[in-house]
Amino acid sequence: MNIKHHIALLAACVLATGVISCKTESDDAREKVAPSPITYAEFTPTNGGGYFKFTAPDDEDFLYVRAEYTIDNGQVISRSSSVYSDSLVISGFGSVKPYPVKLYACDYFANESEPYTMEVTPLEPNVQAVAKTVRARAGFANIVVELENETQETVDVYVDIAAQDGSGRKATRIFTTSAKADKLLITGLESIPYSVTTYLKDKYDNGTAPKDEGVLTPLSDYALSKEQWTWLRDDYLYGSNWDKSKN
């Protein structure tokens, strides 16, 4: 290898090193600079929470807004907006009262701005709103519990039943749902009276007081006798695989 080749190889190495380590002091300084705080936010309450609409800072490396707040059980909750959104949803509150919420602007380098603090007052907790819609009724060998959940936040539904036949038998069924409307079934019940009580809880330790749904008697569920059945005669139209025995 002649001297020209050595010089060319050395130049290529120097160039590659320069590309790989092209980071400047100004880049290092920039990575440590927090973004400007948000300057405006408005809050719309919902059951147990709500959502913010905010004005993002003009920093070119701004990424998202993070909310931080404390709920009734002392847990600190952190929620973040989408990168491409100017809104942020919060939830988990257990009372209708003011709660302080801190909003931080965050950038690509995980720097956070000074907080923009705002007091918000949510509507009644979601478990209470859902509990108002709960209805229980008797079905065939079962008890049906129906509910509506507009926010579609996950709730646990507790159903206590107690047989009213003097046996002292009791049971509790727990259902978890986030459906907007749901129908929950307690199956395999005898056709005897049961007292029914319902209450709800959520993942934030918010709950409702027990609600008396009354005394319900499931309808009897039994096999139908074929004594009164009339059979269709045309096997070509309706097939020949029916069991035509009487019972």
Side-chain angles (χ1 to χ4, degrees):
M1 185 180 291
N2 58 36
I3 191 167
K4 288 184 179 179
H5 288 159
H6 281 292
I7 294 173
L9 180 61
L10 179 62
C13 291
V14 171
L15 179 60
T17 303
V19 170
I20 293 171
S21 58
C22 61
K23 198 174 185 180
T24 65
E25 291 184 8
S26 61
D27 290 330
D28 285 331
R30 185 177 177 183
E31 287 184 8
K32 298 175 184 177
V33 175
S36 304
I38 66 173
T39 55
Y40 173 78
E42 62 181 34
F43 180 75
T44 300
T46 59
N47 291 120
Y51 61 90
F52 290 96
K53 295 283 287 186
F54 56 82
T55 301
D58 293 330
D59 302 55
E60 63 180 23
D61 57 356
F62 167 78
L63 191 58
Y64 62 89
V65 167
R66 184 178 73 86
E68 186 176 281
Y69 55 97
T70 303
I71 59 176
D72 295 59
N73 66 1
Q75 181 182 0
V76 177
I77 304 290
S78 178
R79 293 285 173 81
S80 299
S81 68
S82 165
V83 175
Y84 304 105
S85 175
D86 62 351
S87 63
L88 188 158
V89 177
I90 60 175
S91 61
F93 297 120
S95 304
V96 181
K97 67 178 185 181
Y99 292 86
V101 179
K102 295 179 179 179
L103 300 176
Y104 298 88
C106 306
D107 65 17
Y108 285 101
F109 307 107
N111 298 311
E112 293 189 341
S113 68
E114 290 297 313
Y116 177 95
T117 303
M118 185 174 180
E119 277 202 341
V120 302
T121 302
L123 304 181
E124 66 178 345
N126 189 54
V127 287
Q128 293 183 15
V130 175
K132 291 178 179 179
T133 72
V134 172
R135 299 290 182 271
R137 59 180 174 83
F140 283 96
N142 61 45
I143 289 174
V144 184
V145 177
E146 297 175 300
L147 58 83
E148 297 176 6
N149 182 3
E150 287 296 325
T151 66
Q152 296 182 271
E153 289 275 341
T154 300
V155 295
D156 295 328
V157 182
Y158 292 73
V159 184
D160 293 339
I161 61 172
Q164 301 299 294
D165 61 352
S167 65
R169 291 177 296 169
K170 298 180 179 180
T172 299
R173 288 291 307 274
I174 305 173
F175 303 89
T176 299
T177 177
S178 60
K180 192 170 184 177
D182 211 344
K183 183 182 294 185
L184 314 172
L185 301 179
I186 301 176
T187 59
L189 300 178
E190 301 172 62
S191 185
I192 60 174
Y194 295 87
S195 64
V196 181
T197 304
T198 60
Y199 56 98
L200 280 69
K201 294 182 179 180
D202 66 16
K203 63 182 178 181
Y204 305 106
D205 295 330
N206 301 315
T208 65
K211 177 186 174 186
D212 182 8
E213 303 289 348
V215 177
L216 303 175
T217 303
L219 303 174
S220 296
D221 191 7
Y222 53 85
L224 294 173
S225 170
K226 298 176 184 175
E227 291 288 343
Q228 304 300 317
W229 290 23
T230 300
W231 295 100
L232 299 171
R233 296 182 179 279
D234 197 334
D235 289 344
Y236 290 104
L237 287 176
Y238 303 108
S240 59
N241 295 321
W242 291 90
D243 177 9
K244 297 180 181 179
S245 59
K246 291 294 185 181
N247 295 308

